[in-house]
Amino acid sequence: MPFQIQPLKEFLVRPALPASLSRMPELAYNLFWSWDHTVRSLFRRLDPVLWKAVNHNPILLLGRVSQATLAKAGSDPRYLALYRKACEHFDSYIQKTANEPPREELIAYFSMEYGLVDCMQIYSGGLGILSGDHLKAASDADIPLVGIGLLYQKGYFQQSLNPDGWQQERNPVNDFYTLPVQPVRKSDGSEIVISLNLPVGPVHIKLWHINVGRTKLYLLDTNIPENDRPDIRDITDELYGGDAYTRIKQEIVLGIGGMRALKVLGLEPTVFHMNEGHSAFLAVERVRVLMKEQSLSFDEALDASRTNNVFTTHTSVPAGIDLFDPGLIYEYFNDYCREGGFSFDQLLALGRSNPFDNQQRFSMAVLAIKTSSFRNAVSRLHRRVSQEMWQELWPKLPVWEVPITSVTNGVHLPTWINGDLAMLYDQYLQPDWREQHPDPKVWDLI
């Protein structure tokens, strides 16, 4: 008779690091290595073949590298010189602002995806790459910013072509304990878990964090034992997967759950940035909290919260906007509105370009636009396209006066520059070219 053995406990076994290389995990768990060529070369040089095999994942590299290789590196004067140089680069970068007084402002940056490194499949394309570069650039520029996102078990599917030219898809499973991500813990060492209520029942959310240089990214995860129902555990299973029910649950966890995570962490942002409309429910949660804590009316709380909400739109076609049927919104928000002290119709009006059209579906982009005081597209051309798309929200204004501005996207240069070119620039440009690269004069020496 067939039977199945159920595992009782899992163990993660890693080789023991020599004392001379004791800071390797510290370097691996901060994504500074993804744009500093000296630190990255430290891992690549340890075992070049394995570095490629683990898809440039230093955590997995340190878990799979042989003990003999570590022992050899720990006694190699040349490798130890590179190790000390990497530690110096890291310390100099992290401690650059250590003595500066704490700043009062803080930007909370919400995004559905983050493209930070190849080995972490929690992004699909341009939106995620922008988010990842945004965090890295904020770290370089010492902008007080904290990221909020979701930690996906499968991430986004990967595509390839077979020998016959047909597209193949696969969904690799992320093993969080072999990635540069760690659980957020309380002072007593226990993991932080927050909760919110959905029609299917309570949802428990575990918090993880990634160190991106001097910037923190917090990620929310529902695939934990505290959630008994498979459909709840699967909320953070896959990026852009599932039906409308999955999408609305993901966006509730990101927007409302993200706001509650910030509160538990003791963070009080002065600006809330919605990167695309996926996180727009954060604006609704801000209204609810202000009504409860400050005894404001719905309109007063909406005006107060709108002043420091920012919305970046990416989608240039209406078909790319998340739209939900009013019945679905009612199912998920009727109790929320009643407990918050405002009507469901007030919420529904925020997501419709015409609040009096009962046939219109609820738009996350419209919700983000109506609850923000500053809105931007991602290029000058995209600004004109967006102004035409959303002109109906300001019917008395000509298209060119629709209040959507533009910020042309750039990239995080240290991440994307080739390592050989960086070494060449080190020889011929000023020593601070990495910090001063926006200055055209730096490149005159080319």
Side-chain angles (χ1 to χ4, degrees), residues 199 244-245 248 252 281 323-337 344-345 347-349 351-352 357-363:
Y245 284 91
I248 195 171
I252 289 172
F281 287 133
L323 299 171
F324 297 116
D325 289 331
L328 183 62
I329 297 295
Y330 182 86
E331 179 180 351
Y332 278 84
F333 279 93
N334 182 50
D335 291 342
Y336 178 91
C337 293
F344 175 72
D345 288 338
L347 169 64
L348 208 57
R352 285 173 165 170
D357 185 354
N358 292 328
Q359 303 303 314
Q360 269 194 8
R361 290 190 290 173
F362 187 91
S363 167

Side-chain angles (χ1 to χ4, degrees), residues 24 74 162 385:
M24 292 285 279
N162 66 12
V385 172

Side-chain angles (χ1 to χ4, degrees), residues 3 39 67 102 115 144 182 193 196 200 241 258 287 302 335 364 367 432:
F3 64 92
V39 180
Q67 193 69 56
Q182 297 173 293
V193 177
L196 54 81
V200 293
V287 169
L302 178 60
D335 291 342
M364 295 298 289
L367 173 62
D432 62 347

